[in-house]
Structures are given as C-alpha cells and as structure tokens.
Amino acid sequence: MNIENKNILILGLGVSGVASAKALNKLKANITINDSKAKEELEKHIEELNNIDIRYCLGVNNINLDNIDLIVKSPGIKNSVPIIQDAIKKDIEVITDIELGYRLFKNKIIAITGTNGKTTATTLVGRIFKDAGINAHISGNIGIGILWELVNSKKEDIFIIESSSFQLENTYDFKPNISTIINLKSDHLDWHGNYENYKNAKMKIFKNQDDKDFTILNYDDLEVRELEKQMKSKTVFFSGREKLKNGIFIDCNNIVYSDGIKNINIIKLDDIKIPGKHNIENIMTAIGIALAFDIDINSIRKTISEFEGVEHRLEFVDEIENVRYYNDSKGTNIAASIQAIKSLDGPIILIAGGYDKNSTYDEFIEAFDGKISALILLGQTASKIKKSAEKYDIKNIYIVNNMKEAVNKAYSLAGYKSNVLLSPASASWGMYNNYAERGDDFKNRVKNLRRNLNDQKS
C-alpha cells in the first residue's frame, strides 16, 4: 500500500492521532486532522506536531470530505457519528491505526484482546520477549501509538498489540501471527450498541488468520472455547480448572504445558508474585504466546517469577496505620472489579463509580460476598450502584464528589487490617481523560494523606 501524496484525514487528536500524524508525514502523505475539541484544549498535542504541514479542522464535528482518500480514526470515535456516516456514503474507507499499520509494514504481530486482562498479559508478553533477546514493541491500546513505532522499526521487529474492541471494529485485512482472546464479558454496550456487536468486533482478531498462525484461547470461558469452531489457525487452550490433553493447565500447584505426549512444568504457583486467579489466566495466556513463538521455557519461567504486575491493576500503593491501599483504576467494568475484590481479603472499603456504559450492577454487588465493609461512590454511576447495593441490603454507602473526598472518607472508616480498594467498575470519562489519570489521582491522594499524617505527628 502506497500512501505518498494521498489525502488522509485523521479523526481525533489524541495519542494515536499524534502518532499517526508523525508517521504519515514521514511517509509523505497529505494530512488533515479533525477534532471536535477546540484548539485551546489540544495545544499540548498540536505542539508535538509543530514542524509538520497539517490542515487542522478543530472545534467542529463535521467537515467537507471532498478529495479525502482515506480516514484513520481514533479508536474511541463511534462509527455512528455524522462524519463517518458521510464517508461511508462517499465510499471513503475508514480504518484504525492497527489496520493501516498492518497494511503498510507487515511486521510479525501478536495481538491480544479480551474484556479483561489485556494490559497485564500484553505487558508480560513484552517482558518475556525482551528478556529472551527479541526486539519487541508493546503497542496498540497502550504505548505511544503503533504507526509511529512501526515507521521507525526494523522488519524483524515484533509488535505485541493490546487490541481493544474499538480498534478491531474498523479492521478488515489485519492478520496477526499469534492472537488471543483471554475472556469475553459484557462491556462497552454504550459504544457498540449491544453485546453481539461487541463480540463480533473482538472476533476480528482471528478472522484473517490461517493454518500457519496460532490463537490462544481460554478453555474455561465457554463462549471463547466455542470460537475454535470458526478458526483456521492452530488453537492452544489454557485452563485454570481442567487438565487438558493438549494445552496449558494447573496440576499439583504448577502451571503445566502438555503437547499431547509429555507434560512440562512451566512455573510453580508459589513463585508467582501477582495476586488473583485472573492473573493466572493472564500468565497462562502469555505462556501460550511465548511457546507458540518457541521461546525457551527457562527464560519464560524466569520472567514470570520476576513480574510484579502493571500500574493501575491491583497495584499496591501504601500501608498507612495498618490499612493497605490498592489502586485498581484499570477496573473499568464490572467483571474486572469483581476479580479485584476476589483477590483481596476483607474487610474492604471499596471506592467505585464513574462513567456510565449502560451497565447493570447487581452481579457486581452479589460478588461482594460479605467482604465490603463500606462502599464509597462517585461519578455518573454512583446512584445506580447505590440503588443496586440497597437491594441487597448493603450498609455504609457514601456518595462523594471527588477522589480527595473518597480517600479521606476511606481513611476515616478504615479499621485495623482493612484494605482500601479503588476499583470503579466504570470508565473514567467525565471526571478524567483515562483510567491512568484517575489512578494517579488516587495514588497522589494517598500520598497526601500520609504526608498530612506525618506533619501532624511532627
């Protein structure tokens, strides 16, 4: 695919938009950028593109598409917006950066998706590859933007892509060498419209694979298991519940790989540092990918034993007056937050709430299992979660205005050996730009709490 002198419209000037603009400039395309935000709100990103000839159309929702050859959209922009509907009528192709990157560069790609666990699995796979001496880039839904990394890479470089449903929705030729679906739960219904659309977007990760490729699947997730029937790629299953004739499973407190003939012990469960059954899923996913790439088992074992998790995912922040504070801002949906609650012992003071993705919260409340001693809520979903909690006779519910109030309230309620857990079961939008910003705010509030207490004692 040659894009030199092509007129390309980038929709959305975020991280992926900036990376795409830099890459497309290097590839000598003519660039237009449209964003509904005003110039003043985008100054930081515009500064990064100061030396590039770009036509900006900012503060508007629609522009004239005459002479536009291709649209590269920010993953979060819905296909239902007028400008994309206009493009479809004009037969202008609309794709995401991972699709364009695949078409342009054809590097070996490992693509990781699932409702939960993507970031942890992607980060761990990247660590395994780098520790094994393989030049690998972690990109996609995390990182600095895949197009800029691709345009500056070598042909032999490997790309490990955290692939969201938003990114996969507008892919057509995208064909990873190794793909994985860790799990499937209801999420992003506000964006996709319904669960089937969400699931279909996820399934695009393996749509173009063939028998030379691999797909790693969660045997314990029945919906994921059934996807094998639609695949042309070689399938590797993992299971935390059953011993598999072929695949990755748990036996005698070890994660084991069976090739159908012999069993190979990969790592003892006691040697794993990150807590929670969900992280065992993530680790088995990473093992499947690494084995499909023929990485040495001793190297895989060493990296996993040293891995301490990722920021904003059940991240230990501090212990203050015998109360431990955990940042799980990455818990942007109900299933993720349930896993976080299951991973900690009670009593837990839970801080939750945020942007409403049209989720219902009864399943979330049912998972409390007597562990939650107090529930602190903020954001759009606060009243919705409170209503569900009251149905289940949950006591000690508090609604606050911001993170500062939430952390201060948690401190005032915390008893000896309590855990304070930020796991919102909601997206961050409306209050924060992303989950990382929300997690950083929580961590800063905990730091301030410690500082203020130390000042009082001095």
Side-chain angles (χ1 to χ4, degrees), residues 137-334:
H137 304 260
I138 296 173
S139 195
N141 204 37
I142 54 177
I144 61 172
I146 189 169
L147 278 180
W148 185 237
E149 291 211 66
L150 275 164
V151 82
N152 292 296
S153 68
K154 298 174 182 176
K155 268 199 168 182
E156 61 270 23
D157 291 0
I158 310 300
F159 277 78
I160 301 163
I161 303 175
E162 179 185 332
S163 311
S164 71
S165 59
F166 299 164
Q167 290 167 311
L168 291 166
E169 175 73 31
N170 288 84
T171 59
Y172 305 96
D173 300 333
F174 183 63
K175 182 181 179 293
N177 303 87
I178 303 173
S179 69
T180 185
I181 300 178
I182 304 171
N183 46 52
L184 282 173
K185 305 288 182 186
S186 180
D187 197 16
H188 298 302
L189 302 190
D190 61 316
W191 199 95
H192 290 282
N194 56 57
Y195 177 68
E196 280 305 307
N197 290 341
Y198 170 71
K199 179 180 174 182
N200 288 337
K202 292 285 191 187
M203 288 162 57
K204 285 192 170 189
I205 201 166
F206 63 77
K207 178 183 174 185
N208 298 313
Q209 287 187 292
D210 56 38
D211 59 6
K212 297 182 185 67
D213 304 316
F214 288 87
T215 302
I216 317 301
L217 293 179
N218 185 348
Y219 188 85
D220 299 335
D221 188 312
L222 293 180
E223 272 200 281
V224 173
R225 188 196 305 179
E226 287 295 309
L227 295 177
E228 183 194 23
K229 296 172 183 175
Q230 303 179 42
M231 293 179 179
K232 298 173 185 174
S233 52
K234 299 182 187 79
T235 305
V236 178
F237 280 113
F238 67 84
S239 174
R241 299 175 191 162
E242 299 189 32
K243 294 179 183 179
L244 304 175
K245 290 182 180 178
N246 289 276
I248 301 154
F249 55 94
I250 296 172
D251 186 27
C252 297
N253 208 42
N254 283 283
I255 296 180
V256 175
Y257 168 67
S258 173
D259 61 5
I261 300 171
K262 62 181 184 296
N263 289 356
I264 302 168
N265 287 347
I266 305 295
I267 189 168
K268 292 179 181 178
L269 294 180
D270 293 341
D271 292 336
I272 293 170
K273 292 182 178 177
I274 52 177
K277 289 181 180 178
H278 63 292
N279 277 321
I280 301 301
E281 281 189 357
N282 298 330
I283 287 167
M284 289 193 287
T285 298
I287 290 169
I289 291 169
L291 291 175
F293 209 85
D294 204 26
I295 293 176
D296 178 70
I297 287 169
N298 291 322
S299 180
I300 297 169
R301 182 183 299 119
K302 183 176 185 297
T303 301
I304 294 171
S305 68
E306 294 172 351
F307 185 66
E308 296 182 342
V310 298
E311 192 178 17
H312 307 299
R313 191 67 181 107
L314 209 56
E315 174 193 8
F316 174 69
V317 178
D318 201 353
E319 182 170 346
I320 301 172
E321 296 180 351
N322 292 304
V323 176
R324 293 170 71 86
Y325 291 77
Y326 290 90
N327 165 31
D328 192 58
S329 183
K330 193 79 170 62
T332 59
N333 58 58
I334 289 163

Side-chain angles (χ1 to χ4, degrees), residues 80-178:
S80 59
V81 301
I83 192 167
I84 293 180
Q85 290 300 304
D86 191 24
I88 292 168
K89 288 175 187 173
K90 290 179 162 62
D91 203 27
I92 301 169
E93 193 173 26
V94 180
I95 60 177
T96 47
D97 56 352
I98 63 172
E99 172 73 6
L100 182 57
Y102 172 77
R103 292 185 191 184
L104 289 171
F105 298 100
K106 307 291 185 186
N107 284 67
K108 283 191 175 179
I109 289 173
I110 295 163
I112 297 169
T113 199
T115 305
N116 297 308
K118 296 185 295 297
T119 302
T120 299
T122 303
T123 304
L124 177 54
V125 172
R127 197 81 54 83
I128 289 170
F129 274 61
K130 287 180 181 179
D131 288 352
I134 299 166
N135 199 11
H137 304 260
I138 296 173
S139 195
N141 204 37
I142 54 177
I144 61 172
I146 189 169
L147 278 180
W148 185 237
E149 291 211 66
L150 275 164
V151 82
N152 292 296
S153 68
K154 298 174 182 176
K155 268 199 168 182
E156 61 270 23
D157 291 0
I158 310 300
F159 277 78
I160 301 163
I161 303 175
E162 179 185 332
S163 311
S164 71
S165 59
F166 299 164
Q167 290 167 311
L168 291 166
E169 175 73 31
N170 288 84
T171 59
Y172 305 96
D173 300 333
F174 183 63
K175 182 181 179 293
N177 303 87
I178 303 173

Side-chain angles (χ1 to χ4, degrees), residues 35-50:
D35 196 300
S36 59
K37 291 180 180 175
K39 182 180 178 181
E40 297 72 34
E41 299 175 84
L42 298 166
E43 281 181 357
K44 179 184 172 185
H45 294 314
I46 292 170
E47 278 179 26
E48 293 184 65
L49 303 173
N50 262 346

